[in-house]
Amino acid sequence: MIKPSAALAAAFLAFAATPSAAVDLAKNRTTLPDLVLGDKDGNDYAVSQKDYELEAGKSYQLDIVSNGGKEYKFFSPELFRHIWINQIVINHLEIHGPGTPHHLEWDDEGAIRIEFVVIRPGNFKWWIDGLEQRGMTGTFKVK
């Protein structure tokens, strides 16, 4: 019996080998609701959304926004291992390249946009380092 991940990889390789069937997975991306850290009312530990539902093989755009109340360090190592990042955008400046970040950090208010394709299903935790006990944590649920 072929494992689902092996079958998916084999199908991808067969598909990718056909030039006429080439598809840009980064196009037609879905814009996810912003993940806002802190609110405008002074609650530095507020989180706009804790859980996201995604599908493997689809492209997404996520803006993570800090309202600037605290230093926020966003970690999601399992998600970062199981996505392909098209680009990271900060103030209309784009970061491209192989590999994934260790974490994302805000010292002041602002937004970081991640454009990515999910490669593997699973439940991937995210958290703001040191503020998990304050409720700054959630999950990316990938089907």
Side-chain angles (χ1 to χ4, degrees):
M1 180 174 164
I2 297 177
K3 292 182 179 179
S5 58
L8 180 61
F12 176 77
L13 291 174
F15 185 78
T18 309
S20 63
V23 172
D24 185 351
L25 290 176
K27 292 188 182 213
N28 300 318
R29 75 180 53 88
T30 298
T31 300
L32 297 169
D34 293 353
L35 173 55
V36 182
L37 308 172
D39 65 24
K40 297 290 185 180
D41 296 327
N43 181 354
D44 296 334
Y45 308 106
V47 175
S48 63
Q49 182 159 340
K50 293 190 173 253
D51 298 317
Y52 289 86
E53 292 195 14
L54 312 173
E55 289 183 47
K58 293 198 175 183
S59 180
Y60 295 94
Q61 173 181 300
L62 173 63
D63 286 2
I64 306 173
V65 182
S66 165
N67 278 320
K70 295 272 182 208
E71 176 181 74
Y72 298 115
K73 294 179 182 179
F74 176 89
F75 281 82
S76 189
E78 290 300 311
L79 177 72
F80 288 155
R81 272 189 212 102
H82 295 101
I83 62 174
W84 170 78
I85 295 179
N86 180 45
Q87 64 182 359
I88 297 173
V89 182
I90 305 166
N91 292 330
H92 304 287
L93 303 171
E94 300 173 2
I95 300 167
H96 298 268
T100 60
H102 180 264
H103 69 279
L104 304 174
E105 183 174 337
W106 293 257
D107 292 328
D108 295 309
E109 71 180 88
I112 297 177
R113 172 174 292 163
I114 307 170
E115 296 178 4
F116 60 95
V117 175
V118 183
I119 298 172
R120 184 175 194 177
N123 290 327
F124 309 119
K125 301 272 186 211
W126 69 264
W127 66 91
I128 303 303
D129 196 46
L131 302 176
E132 302 94 315
Q133 298 302 330
R134 299 281 198 144
M136 299 191 86
T137 184
T139 305
F140 292 96
K141 299 172 183 175
V142 182
K143 299 181 206 173

